[in-house]
Amino acid sequence: MSLKRSSGILLHPSSLPGTPGIGTIGQQAYRFVDWLSEAGQSLWQILPLGPTGYGDSPYASFSTFAGNPLLIDLDFLHQQGYLSNDEIQPPEYIHIDGPVDFGSVVWWKMPVIKTAAKHFLSAGTNAKFENFKHEHASWLENYALFMNIKEFYDKKAQEEKLFGKLWNNYWPADLATCQKKAIDDWKKNNAEGIEIQKVIQFFFFDQWHNLKNYANSKGISIVGDIPIFVAADSADVWANQHLFQLNKDGTPKCVAGVPPDYFSATGQLWGNPLYNWEAMKKDGYEWWIARIKSMHSLVDYIRIDHFRGFEAYWSIPAGESTAINGKWVKGPDHDLFNAIKKALGDLPILAEDLGVITDDVKKLRDDFNLPGMKVLQFAFDANEAGKEGFTNAFLPHMYSVNSLVYTGTHDNDTMQGWIDQASPAEIDIIRDYLGGSVERKDMVRELIRIAMMSVAVFAVFPLQDIFSIGKEGRMNTPSTLGNNWSWRMKNEHFDHAKAAWLKKNSRLYARNMSK
């Protein structure tokens, strides 16, 4: 894969301003594309686009193929005649500004989108919709059915005051195990609700492709993101149980996580079901090939989260309360990527190669010429400051060209938030590295500049770092629930002076030269 020297911004659509409750892929997204173009940038990196559930994490969605209905823009549906002006008016508890309150947004917005879908269906046959259903049938049928059954049993569980109930521990056994008669009966009795789920996906894909085409026309490429693992509470697992390490009742045998390390004495227990790689190999990794192909239809570059899990993954027995008692198990390694390459050719895949990276992981990455990640927040550890020179792999002078540099990621504090909490020793290293007595308030700007200057082929910055926003701008704190994924930019961040500064630095360091 050959990449052009570029830079851009990390911002999930949910963080866009100016729409009720949550950012959307509507007019404000087009405005952001225009701002990126004004700023001379050519990359817009986003988080996973799938429908989010409990915890609101885009990394634990109900489907790896589907789009998040909450990102659908209601004004566009109104302009198309599927919603009246009255129907798109938010209640008083939904605010235009401020962080996303996911519970309130779901409570208000989902019924409105379903109303639009009903209006759409009442208008009669739509050729574009019929083509969409045919093109995406391989996942859409299962997803629409899963969501329709899930809504029924989620409501039932809430009425019974039962929480944490999934398809594998609450649905009737014949539905949970996808018995043909039970599935056929459900489809027959719930045809309209299933079709509504398909329409909602049609709305999302239509709006998203229009936005992507606009971004591409402005010389801006979309960098997408897929987690290596999928959520247990997903159509992916329910409809493909033989592809996962599950018991006969659909409950997991082992789950995903990472081992204890410097950051956590008990590791991280993610809880995702693990793949049955032997079963996947038997059908030529068909599910993974379909996943990559689908994602590439939505974005221009695909960042795979937790890339190291393809070489070996941390397997934790189901039921454990921590990740301590896991073990490393060999993954599909080169075999999977050879199959993907054979089926789809050389695709623009980017590797999130953070964490415990062995020589075998590096070989997998490098044998397929996949760029890896560098994060500046990890560069200034005083414990790694050697007397014979600074060799921390995250320092810019240690980079290779085939790498991506970030000031921070969605899981980090903002760069300003990190600097505000940094030790005096870390601040001294930063000052030395920047070559002067730089004030803390100016360090983020200078760190962005040296990232731009580095040889890394891509330089990407969270929008929060462009404006030196403190810890209040943090997107996610791993292993916590609540107050995550909710940050939203303000209208004032469509700033012309900041755009000019970005454009100047991009050109100074030979990035985005075609813009």
Side-chain angles (χ1 to χ4, degrees):
M1 173 176 59
S2 178
L3 303 177
K4 287 186 177 181
R5 189 170 166 81
S6 306
S7 63
I9 302 297
L10 168 59
L11 182 82
H12 198 50
S14 63
S15 294
L16 289 162
T19 47
I22 188 170
T24 74
I25 50 178
Q27 198 55 53
Q28 292 288 351
Y30 287 78
R31 185 182 179 193
F32 183 67
V33 168
D34 289 341
W35 184 83
L36 287 173
S37 181
E38 178 188 352
Q41 302 306 293
S42 60
L43 301 173
W44 178 9
Q45 182 165 331
I46 59 174
L47 305 182
L49 288 168
T52 54
Y54 178 72
D56 312 312
S57 172
Y59 292 87
S61 70
F62 298 137
S63 169
T64 192
F65 295 91
N68 188 349
L70 299 182
L71 299 179
I72 293 172
D73 189 74
L74 299 183
D75 287 333
F76 283 176
L77 296 182
H78 169 55
Q79 292 167 16
Q80 292 173 295
Y82 303 133
L83 288 171
S84 69
N85 189 59
D86 289 341
E87 287 170 330
I88 66 172
Q89 297 307 311
E92 291 184 0
Y93 60 81
I94 297 293
H95 303 289
I96 300 294
D97 301 314
V100 181
D101 179 351
F102 284 95
S104 296
V105 170
V106 170
W107 183 263
W108 161 66
K109 191 168 184 178
M110 286 307 301
V112 177
I113 294 173
K114 287 184 178 180
T115 297
K118 291 177 182 178
H119 291 331
F120 175 89
L121 290 172
S122 68
T125 303
N126 182 296
K128 193 174 180 181
F129 175 52
E130 296 302 318
N131 289 337
F132 170 79
K133 288 193 293 182
H134 177 74
E135 180 182 352
H136 296 275
S138 61
W139 65 265
L140 185 61
E141 294 290 335
N142 288 330
Y143 169 78
L145 176 61
F146 174 82
M147 292 304 295
N148 183 255
I149 302 173
K150 176 179 170 57
E151 285 187 355
F152 177 86
Y153 284 103
D154 279 2
K155 182 178 180 181
K156 188 173 183 292
Q158 289 170 6
E159 291 171 349
E160 296 174 357
K161 296 185 172 13
L162 298 173
F163 304 100
K165 293 297 182 182
L166 308 183
W167 60 270
N168 57 19
N169 61 19
Y170 188 66
W171 293 12
D174 53 359
L175 286 175
T177 55
C178 301
Q179 298 300 307
K180 186 177 187 307
K181 184 179 185 307
I183 295 298
D184 288 346
D185 288 346
W186 189 278
K187 287 180 177 179
K188 180 180 178 181
N189 295 326
N190 298 276
E192 182 185 26
I194 294 169
E195 196 74 356
I196 284 171
Q197 291 292 340
K198 295 177 183 179
V199 174
I200 291 171
Q201 287 303 303
F202 173 69
F203 287 158
F204 175 87
F205 274 71
D206 185 52
Q207 290 190 5
W208 177 258
H209 281 297
N210 289 339
L211 175 60
K212 180 182 180 294
N213 289 339
Y214 182 77
N216 291 165
S217 75
K218 292 280 190 174
I220 294 165
S221 298
I222 307 292
V223 181
D225 197 340
I226 58 175
I228 184 174
F229 299 117
V230 296
D233 192 19
S234 69
D236 307 300
V237 179
W238 172 73
N240 302 282
Q241 294 178 43
H242 66 293
L243 298 179
F244 295 84
Q245 296 180 31
L246 305 178
N247 298 306
K248 289 183 178 180
D249 62 358
T251 56
K253 295 177 181 178
C254 296
V255 296
V258 291
D261 57 17
Y262 175 81
F263 298 101
S264 173
T266 59
Q268 293 182 36
L269 178 63
W270 297 338
N272 309 74
L274 295 169
Y275 297 111
N276 181 342
W277 286 114
E278 290 183 7
M280 288 191 161
K281 183 174 183 176
K282 286 179 181 178
D283 69 8
Y285 303 102
E286 182 178 310
W287 184 86
W288 261 100
I289 290 169
R291 188 183 190 193
I292 297 294
K293 182 178 180 181
S294 175
M295 188 64 180
H296 193 228
S297 73
L298 295 174
V299 301
D300 300 293
Y301 299 99
I302 303 170
R303 173 192 178 273
I304 301 182
D305 196 51
H306 196 60
F307 174 82
R308 75 100 52 244
F310 293 115
E311 187 277 324
Y313 57 90
W314 190 247
S315 174
I316 307 161
E320 291 286 326
S321 58
T322 73
I324 291 176
N325 293 323
K327 63 180 181 179
W328 287 111
V329 178
K330 191 67 177 174
D333 210 322
H334 287 60
D335 199 42
L336 170 64
F337 286 89
N338 281 327
I340 292 172
K341 184 174 182 178
K342 182 178 179 181
L344 303 175
D346 286 319
L347 287 179
I349 294 175
L350 317 174
E352 187 273 288
D353 58 343
L354 306 175
V356 182
I357 305 304
T358 64
D359 288 342
D360 287 339
V361 178
K362 293 176 183 176
K363 179 173 173 55
L364 174 61
R365 179 197 66 199
D366 294 344
D367 283 353
F368 291 93
N369 197 34
L370 306 180
M373 281 181 59
K374 306 295 182 183
V375 180
L376 273 179
Q377 275 192 37
F378 302 155
F380 304 102
D381 187 344
N383 295 319
E384 295 187 19
K387 294 180 180 179
E388 297 180 0
F390 288 78
T391 57
N392 184 314
F394 295 102
L395 286 165
H397 65 269
M398 300 296 294
Y399 297 172
S400 66
V401 172
N402 199 33
S403 60
L404 327 168
V405 58
Y406 297 78
T407 42
T409 74
H410 60 276
D411 282 337
N412 297 111
D413 199 347
T414 65
M415 198 67 186
Q416 187 63 55
W418 180 82
I419 286 171
D420 290 342
Q421 300 297 317
S423 69
E426 289 166 330
I427 293 299
D428 285 344
I429 295 171
I430 295 173
R431 285 197 175 111
D432 285 345
Y433 202 80
L434 295 176
S437 55
V438 183
E439 297 294 328
R440 286 195 188 218
K441 65 181 179 62
D442 298 323
M443 284 182 174
V444 178
R445 181 191 65 209
E446 290 303 299
L447 289 169
I448 290 172
R449 187 178 62 80
I450 66 167
M452 285 270 200
M453 186 194 305
S454 76
V455 297
V457 67
F458 281 0
V460 179
F461 313 104
L463 187 74
Q464 297 94 313
D465 291 351
I466 298 299
F467 292 91
S468 299
I469 294 170
K471 63 181 181 180
E472 69 275 11
R474 182 166 187 160
M475 195 64 170
N476 179 52
T477 302
S479 302
T480 67
L481 283 175
N483 301 316
N484 290 322
W485 316 108
S486 61
W487 182 80
R488 295 180 76 184
M489 65 180 288
K490 299 177 181 179
N491 275 304
E492 65 196 49
H493 292 143
F494 292 114
D495 182 84
H496 297 299
K498 190 65 72 173
W501 177 80
L502 275 169
K503 186 171 185 177
K504 175 183 176 182
N505 279 279
S506 294
R507 294 193 64 79
L508 182 62
Y509 300 118
R511 297 189 184 273
N512 315 315
M513 292 305 291
S514 62
K515 292 188 69 65

